[in-house]
């Protein structure tokens, strides 16, 4: 049928786009840094490439908090006099990276585990980068579960996890051993 043919053509188009993205990821500009980001759960080629294309030099952020603020996942604040009221996230800055990191944060609701695909992505990567990714997996899973147990709504929990995930990504991309490689 016509609908089936259209769906097949669309699928073939996606395969072509995926092949091109894979080709770009193997370029000199993205290969090593993209591979480091892919050590994290929920971050594969497309996410890693998008984050690198949008933020390439993580060292321009003096701290993880600056990166979090740039992405717009920090709480807004309404202060007057001695009162401080915190609101929702600011949503300032890069909405594309914010969406990707929040999407990746959803993966941390599952127990820490190294599946076959993640193990393959980690092959040949430096032990320090895999260590940071493992530490992130342990911490973010525990935090996710604690926040839900406290009654924090799922969407707020996921954004909190995304904020911390950005901290781990920053730590990886600004690691002193990265320049030595």
């Amino acid at each position: 049928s016509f609908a089936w043919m259209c769906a097949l053509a669309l699928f073939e188009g996606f395969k072509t786009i995926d092949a091109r993205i894979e080709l770009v990821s193997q370029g000199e500009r993205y290969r090593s840094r993209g591979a480091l980001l892919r050590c994290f759960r929920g971050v594969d080629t497309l996410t890693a490439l998008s984050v690198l294309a949008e933020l390439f030099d993580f060292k321009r952020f003096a701290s993880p908090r600056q990166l979090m603020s740039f992405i717009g996942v920090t709480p807004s604040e309404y202060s007057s006099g001695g009162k401080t009221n915190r609101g929702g996230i600011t949503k300032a800055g890069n909405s594309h990276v914010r969406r990707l990191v929040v999407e990746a944060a959803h993966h941390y609701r599952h127990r820490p585990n190294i599946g076959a695909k993640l193990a393959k992505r980690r092959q040949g990567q430096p032990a320090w980068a895999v260590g940071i990714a493992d530490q992130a997996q342990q911490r973010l899973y525990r935090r996710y579960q604690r926040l839900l147990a406290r009654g924090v709504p799922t969407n707020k929990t996921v954004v909190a996890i995304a904020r911390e995930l950005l901290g781990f990504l920053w730590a990886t991309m600004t690691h002193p051993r990265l320049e030595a490689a």
Side-chain angles (χ1 to χ4, degrees):
S1 79
F2 180 72
W4 177 252
M5 289 173 50
C6 288
L8 185 61
L10 187 62
F11 179 71
E12 291 298 321
F14 285 139
K15 283 178 33 180
T16 303
I17 291 170
D18 284 345
R20 287 185 181 167
I21 290 170
E22 193 60 43
L23 186 65
V24 169
S25 75
Q26 296 308 313
E28 185 178 329
R29 183 172 184 190
Y30 297 110
R31 185 180 327 120
S32 63
R33 294 177 188 269
L36 292 176
L37 291 178
R38 293 177 70 224
C39 290
F40 287 86
R41 186 181 222 174
V43 179
D44 207 346
T45 306
L46 181 59
T47 303
L49 240 54
S50 297
V51 168
L52 286 174
E54 297 279 344
L55 304 176
F56 194 71
D57 186 14
F58 280 73
K59 290 188 181 199
R60 67 187 170 132
F61 304 105
S63 69
R65 285 186 176 170
Q66 280 187 354
L67 173 61
M68 295 169 196
S69 183
F70 178 78
I71 302 301
V73 292
T74 53
S76 59
E77 188 173 301
Y78 308 98
S79 300
S80 177
K83 292 173 65 174
T84 301
N85 293 321
R86 292 193 183 237
I89 61 171
T90 61
K91 295 185 183 175
N94 197 311
S95 61
H96 184 225
V97 174
R98 183 173 53 251
R99 184 187 61 79
L100 291 171
V101 174
V102 167
E103 198 173 293
H106 280 279
H107 291 267
Y108 291 92
R109 71 181 184 274
H110 303 292
R111 286 191 192 284
N113 185 27
I114 310 298
K117 287 182 181 180
L118 182 57
K120 187 175 180 182
R121 292 195 316 248
R122 289 178 167 193
Q123 281 180 350
Q125 297 310 312
W128 61 264
V130 173
I132 292 172
D134 283 341
Q135 185 181 7
Q137 196 172 148
Q138 297 290 328
R139 176 176 169 80
L140 297 179
Y141 170 75
R142 281 193 318 268
R143 181 134 169 86
Y144 192 101
Q145 297 306 315
R146 276 194 223 121
L147 288 171
L148 285 180
R150 277 186 17 208
V152 176
T154 305
N155 289 345
K156 282 188 178 182
T157 298
V158 170
V159 171
I161 298 306
R163 186 170 38 250
E164 285 199 37
L165 177 58
L166 279 168
F168 282 105
L169 296 179
W170 181 88
T172 301
M173 300 310 290
T174 59
H175 197 277
R177 291 189 190 166
L178 183 60
E179 295 305 317

